[in-house]
Amino acid sequence: MTHDTDDTDGDASTETDPSDDGEPGDDDPAVRTPGGGAAPEPEPIEPAAPEEFGLVQAWWGDGKGKTTAAMGMGFRAAGHGYRVHMLQFMKGGADSVEGVRGEYNAIAAMPGFSYENAGHYGWHGLLDGSADDEHDAKAAAAFERAEALVAGAAETDLTEPLPLDGDPDNGVHMLILDELLYAADRGLVDPDEVVALAESKPDGLELVLTGSHAEPEYLEGVADLITNVRKVAHPFDAGHRARRGTEY
């Protein structure tokens, strides 16, 4: 016995709607996002001013990633055309770190992002050949520099774009004070002065503080964001030294 067959049977499931161009329809929730459901594309970096900067952030803890997180925010801000500067305390180098650091090369290539290092060789309180009185002097000078940078921002209209290659003394939108909290924890900087600095900053300056394995309780009620970067495991505990491209 033979049966009639319908040549079109099953074809409906494979037919393509000629109006379907791969773009989300009006009923797709993606179209209600700021980007309208489209993947963001890179744009040229032009000087711009942030609309919502002005908070104080503190990143502390015994885990790796405090400086990395701060610099990541710095790159993000600079990518929007905001002026960013990083001042590093207590990072003058050690025998496990080479003279060239990847983050410095990257910052130098990034419009609107600049840095300066005010650290002394070695680490305070360790028998590594470095002099603690030199650490004291470097930290004191770095804190004076931080005060000058905050004062420069206070004299600048931070609601306006700033030159991407401008002198940080003439104002920045984001100031990263890397390892300042560790300097305060070690007694190289007075914690009360850190509080005074945070409270003296202009409204439009985003101030990012990092460092310290000890909780900076003095910043409670002062910092808007306090993040504890907690160590679960660290390759240093297994004897690994600092690695090019991850630690420096």
Side-chain angles (χ1 to χ4, degrees), residues 69-106:
M71 287 193 295
M73 283 190 294
F75 276 102
R76 177 176 288 162
H80 284 291
Y82 308 153
R83 187 68 178 88
V84 181
H85 187 69
M86 178 175 69
L87 170 63
Q88 290 192 309
F89 291 67
M90 304 185 68
K91 279 187 174 173
D95 62 359
S96 62
V97 178
E98 297 177 23
V100 176
R101 301 187 191 177
E103 60 264 40
Y104 294 171
N105 293 342

